[in-house]
Amino acid sequence: MAKDMTLLWGSGSPPCWRVMIALEEKNLRGYNQKLLSFEKMEHKSKQVMDMNPRGQLPSFKHKDYVLNESYAACMYLESQFKSQGNKLIPDCPAEQAQMYQRMFEGLTLNQKMGDVIYYTWKVPEGERHDSAIKRNKEALTTEIKLWEGYLQKASGSFLAGKSFSLADVTVYPSIAYLYHFGLSEERYPKLTAYYNGLKDRPSIRATWPPTWLESLQSQDTLKDI
């Protein structure tokens, strides 16, 4: 089954990582894959553009079905291979509702994280303002405190109930990204415990971004958050 799948991906990208974790959780290994470089602009190559006219990664295909949105790909994999590997959508209505809520809240976390991390890359130098940087950092701080609170009230070690679910598949890469960019482990103890507690889960360990393993250089973009 996995031989019918192709994944074009970039190391360190939370959207790419989500899809790779989902594939591992569903025991879908041996798929066709190609690691591309964002730095070399390989995500704008013809191979990617043919699959994904937005020129973004991941670009994912199963048979003739193309799913380039990472959430869509993860939900599709669970739907099509629900009896295979680990079950990623809980049966309990309360846990399922919380799972979907946390999943889609993860998109807000991603946006606010990107507003801080990519500010100098996205905003031309002449248009940058200290007030905007301050506002973005305050918004991200508020967002992270929200997630710290969610985990404080959690009934288990996961984002939605007592089992690993699509909420963790989709949001964990974003939380790991925060720590990769220097988020304080001391300031957010519950978030840190969640981050460290899932590092050794087989699907996460097997798909850990190779560039993060290669480079020991610490990032401090988020040290003040």
Side-chain angles (χ1 to χ4, degrees), residues 83-202:
S83 61
Q84 184 170 319
N86 294 316
K87 184 183 179 70
L88 297 174
I89 297 178
D91 291 324
C92 168
E95 289 188 3
Q96 193 176 123
Q98 190 176 52
M99 181 205 78
Y100 282 119
Q101 178 62 32
R102 295 291 176 263
M103 270 183 79
F104 287 93
E105 279 187 277
L107 294 172
T108 303
L109 173 62
N110 256 33
Q111 181 194 336
K112 292 184 178 179
M113 180 172 78
D115 288 344
V116 174
I117 294 172
Y118 302 129
Y119 184 79
T120 55
W121 179 70
K122 285 184 173 179
V123 181
E125 191 171 356
E127 298 173 24
R128 295 173 200 161
H129 298 285
D130 289 344
S131 59
I133 293 170
K134 182 172 180 285
R135 188 167 59 248
N136 289 345
K137 285 186 173 181
E138 286 172 351
L140 180 58
T141 299
T142 300
E143 182 70 20
I144 293 172
K145 284 179 178 174
L146 199 60
W147 289 90
E148 177 75 8
Y150 290 157
L151 286 162
Q152 203 159 8
K153 296 173 188 168
S155 56
S157 307
F158 306 104
L159 288 176
K162 295 181 173 64
S163 59
F164 186 87
S165 71
L166 280 178
D168 303 290
V169 171
T170 53
V171 179
Y172 182 85
S174 299
I175 290 172
Y177 204 70
L178 292 171
Y179 286 100
H180 180 67
F181 279 90
L183 188 70
S184 167
E185 294 203 2
E186 292 73 29
R187 207 169 289 143
Y188 302 101
K190 292 294 182 184
L191 203 65
T192 300
Y194 173 77
Y195 165 62
N196 287 326
L198 283 180
K199 268 184 177 177
D200 284 329
R201 187 174 179 88

Side-chain angles (χ1 to χ4, degrees), residues 18-70:
R18 287 176 198 134
V19 179
M20 296 175 85
I21 292 172
L23 286 162
E24 283 288 322
E25 289 287 335
K26 302 312 292 182
N27 288 336
L28 293 163
R29 301 185 184 97
Y31 52 89
N32 303 299
Q33 58 166 298
K34 188 173 184 180
L35 172 59
L36 300 174
S37 167
F38 290 110
E39 289 75 18
K40 295 176 184 174
M41 298 296 289
E42 289 177 346
H43 54 297
K44 302 298 183 184
S45 66
K46 184 179 184 303
Q47 184 180 16
V48 175
M49 297 299 286
D50 285 348
M51 271 176 72
N52 188 349
R54 292 184 183 274
Q56 296 172 340
L57 299 176
S59 295
F60 177 71
K61 188 175 184 179
H62 176 219
K63 298 179 181 176
D64 292 326
Y65 319 132
V66 176
L67 296 106
N68 296 320
E69 290 297 323
S70 59

